Amino acid sequence: MPDGAAEAELLLRAGRGDEAAFLLLYERHRTPVFRFACRMLGSAPQAEDVTQECFLEVLRRPEAFRAERASLRTYLCAIARHLALKHLRKRGQETLVDDPPEEAPRGAAKERDALSAVIEAEAAEAVRSAVEALPPLQREAVVLFEYQEMSLADVAAVCEVDVGTVKSRLHRARERLRRTLAPFLAGRPAPLAPGERETRP
């Protein structure tokens, strides 16, 4: 992971018009920002727009980035999140309210979690469709944690909530995905017990 103070300096230089500094940061962080936006929006053209807007916004106020608070990638994803949610609101999708908690199936705490294997393999269009069909607040938690491989703390920072809320959203998302993807989960090996990913530092 690049040094935060060094990236903050690069960002300040880029904000002053240093093209080489901007290109370095852009090449370093464009792909994860784009992938996050694409999985949030389900549209590559809209994700490209969000990515461009994200970098333009960070260049307008480079001094707003604080390396001691979060990595630049986390900061960029937080900006991209706000932009993506704005696009979703324009589509009429609710982005401010969590789904009510769902009662976990009996014995769920003892089940091995095969969902991560399915998500990581992303073997079928059904998986992408199921993730895109999640409510936005659950979708962003899954995308950041499973696809971007952020820690719970970083996901919480991007989403501007506490870690407990992130865990709750991940649980609800996994239950919803498990039901949707039941045919793909059947018979798969179970690599993780519930809670193992949550302990990632």
Side-chain angles (χ1 to χ4, degrees):
M1 183 65 67
D3 177 74
E7 291 215 304
E9 177 58 31
L10 276 175
L11 185 55
L12 288 172
R13 284 167 46 195
R16 292 193 293 264
D18 186 329
E19 185 176 351
F22 170 75
L23 288 174
L24 180 58
L25 291 174
Y26 185 76
E27 289 303 315
R28 188 178 285 169
H29 297 291
R30 177 199 176 277
T31 297
V33 172
F34 172 79
R35 285 178 177 166
F36 168 60
C38 196
R39 288 191 169 107
M40 282 295 294
L41 296 167
S43 164
Q46 286 190 0
E48 192 63 55
D49 289 344
V50 163
T51 302
Q52 299 295 333
E53 290 174 49
C54 177
F55 279 92
L56 286 174
E57 186 165 325
V58 82
L59 281 181
R60 290 188 194 106
R61 297 180 60 242
E63 71 284 352
F65 171 60
R66 293 286 184 269
E68 67 274 12
R69 294 181 184 173
S71 69
L72 182 57
R73 183 162 299 181
T74 299
Y75 181 69
L76 287 166
C77 282
I79 294 173
R81 172 187 183 257
H82 284 284
L83 295 168
L85 292 180
K86 186 160 60 173
H87 278 265
L88 292 175
R89 284 193 291 272
K90 287 179 181 177
R91 295 183 194 170
Q93 289 188 250
E94 178 56 67
T95 62
L96 300 176
V97 180
D98 270 320
D99 276 3
E102 298 172 355
E103 186 175 346
R106 294 180 67 181
K110 298 180 181 179
E111 292 178 358
R112 300 287 289 178
D113 186 8
L115 180 59
S116 293
V118 176
I119 288 177
E120 287 166 14
E122 201 168 3
E125 179 63 31
V127 177
R128 289 185 289 275
S129 297
V131 172
E132 288 173 11
L134 289 170
L137 298 181
Q138 293 177 21
R139 187 189 319 151
E140 67 187 10
V142 168
V143 171
L144 291 168
F145 187 72
E146 297 288 356
Y147 289 104
Q148 301 289 82
E149 297 186 342
M150 285 188 174
S151 67
L152 285 169
D154 281 344
V155 176
V158 170
C159 298
E160 300 176 327
V161 294
D162 58 42
V163 168
T165 299
V166 173
K167 288 182 178 180
S168 175
R169 289 177 183 175
L170 284 170
H171 172 73
R172 294 176 203 169
R174 284 168 171 164
E175 290 304 315
R176 185 184 291 258
L177 289 171
R178 189 176 286 110
R179 289 194 298 272
T180 303
L181 299 171
F184 300 95
L185 291 167
R188 282 183 172 268
L192 295 173
E196 286 183 7
R197 288 295 296 277
E198 283 80 356
T199 60
R200 186 174 60 220

